[in-house]
Amino acid sequence: MPPEGATPPVAIAGLTYAFGEGELRRPVLRDVSLQIRAGEIVLLTGPSGSGKTTLLTLIGALRAMQEGRCTVLGQELLGATEDQRVLLRRRIGFIFQQHNLLGFLTARQNVAMSLELDPRTTEAERLARAGALLEAVGLADRADALPSKLSGGQRQRVAVARALAGSPGLILADEPTAALDRVSGQEVVHLLRDLARSRGVPILLVTHDPRILDIADRIIEMEDGRILSGAPVD
């Protein structure tokens, strides 16, 4: 557990965001406040268009803030420069519905790519670490396979390994099970939970999938750009 009074990995207060300007301005998030603690798994649910993915992209520094406060891994994002946002993104692991693996690279090479931003590592070190992560997600025997030779669940496992490769301080996942069958979806989210908890990394996961609610410490419900509720899971 973090020390008493420590700043949580994610601390949001009064966040408001809109698309467009003038008469075309459309509010997407309205006065959102949220905190995510170290090692906590939080699911963000709600109907399509409720602002879940927009909130995720703001926390992930993929968009510039407009109003409110949002501190992620110690970086205040209101007024942050693009360079500051880029540095923060390197400390976050992203997993999306489409795994976005490069088809001409093997599973091992796809994972190793995320380590190339660290000039202190050699190619051999990156490939070795990628191999260890693929072993951790149960794909040691598929490390040299191209994505086209992997099942949907296996490709998403590679995406999980890639997200964890840089030892992130936060994992953001957007509908990671939407394209998977029930068994593969359960396997991926429980794997993600176990690996992240063993490292004390918080997860914010956007989902419509009721099959994975059991992995959460807390479920946040959104509607029309607002947080309606956020209760601990028994």
Side-chain angles (χ1 to χ4, degrees):
M1 293 296 291
E4 188 70 23
T7 301
V10 177
I12 300 170
L15 189 156
T16 296
Y17 191 86
F19 292 132
E21 297 180 358
E23 294 182 356
L24 297 178
R25 188 176 187 273
R26 181 172 66 87
V28 180
L29 297 171
R30 310 165 192 262
D31 194 29
V32 171
S33 295
L34 173 67
Q35 290 193 354
I36 301 174
R37 298 181 292 274
E40 187 177 30
I41 299 174
V42 177
L43 299 192
L44 201 56
T45 68
S48 296
S50 59
K52 305 183 301 298
T53 295
T54 300
L55 179 58
L56 200 77
T57 57
L58 286 165
I59 293 171
L62 298 171
R63 301 180 188 273
M65 287 276 294
Q66 293 176 349
E67 300 177 47
R69 306 297 299 272
C70 182
T71 302
V72 179
L73 302 179
Q75 171 66 59
E76 172 55 56
L77 288 175
L78 182 65
T81 66
E82 177 61 19
D83 286 346
Q84 288 173 321
R85 296 204 307 273
V86 168
L87 289 174
L88 177 60
R89 289 198 292 268
R90 293 177 183 175
R91 300 169 59 202
I92 297 172
F94 294 93
I95 304 170
F96 298 102
Q97 176 178 343
Q98 301 300 326
H99 47 75
N100 296 327
L101 302 180
L102 294 177
F104 57 90
L105 297 180
T106 66
R108 189 196 315 270
Q109 291 167 333
N110 267 283
V111 176
M113 270 194 66
S114 62
L115 298 169
E116 289 185 358
L117 295 173
D118 185 351
R120 298 168 297 180
T121 61
T122 66
E123 182 178 3
E125 289 170 338
R126 291 192 292 270
L127 290 171
R129 176 157 174 75
L133 282 164
L134 288 170
E135 182 177 3
V137 301
L139 290 178
D141 61 336
R142 306 295 287 154
D144 296 316
L146 294 172
S148 61
K149 302 300 183 181
L150 300 174
S151 69
Q154 288 173 331
R155 289 193 291 268
Q156 200 63 302
R157 283 172 176 260
V158 176
V160 170
R162 181 180 58 188
L164 293 169
S167 300
L170 171 68
I171 292 174
L172 301 177
D174 192 5
E175 299 283 4
T177 64
L180 303 179
D181 61 33
R182 181 183 63 82
V183 173
S184 295
Q186 286 279 349
E187 288 177 350
V188 166
V189 295
H190 284 95
L191 171 70
L192 182 59
R193 176 197 63 190
D194 294 343
L195 290 174
R197 279 187 169 160
S198 69
R199 293 163 169 79
V201 180
I203 301 173
L204 178 61
L205 192 155
V206 169
T207 186
H208 287 102
D209 190 347
R211 304 170 298 178
I212 66 172
L213 300 183
D214 62 321
I215 74 160
D217 295 309
R218 196 156 38 111
I219 298 174
I220 305 291
E221 184 180 359
M222 291 189 69
E223 186 174 314
D224 195 27
R226 294 184 173 89
I227 289 179
L228 299 183
S229 63
V233 177
D234 185 356

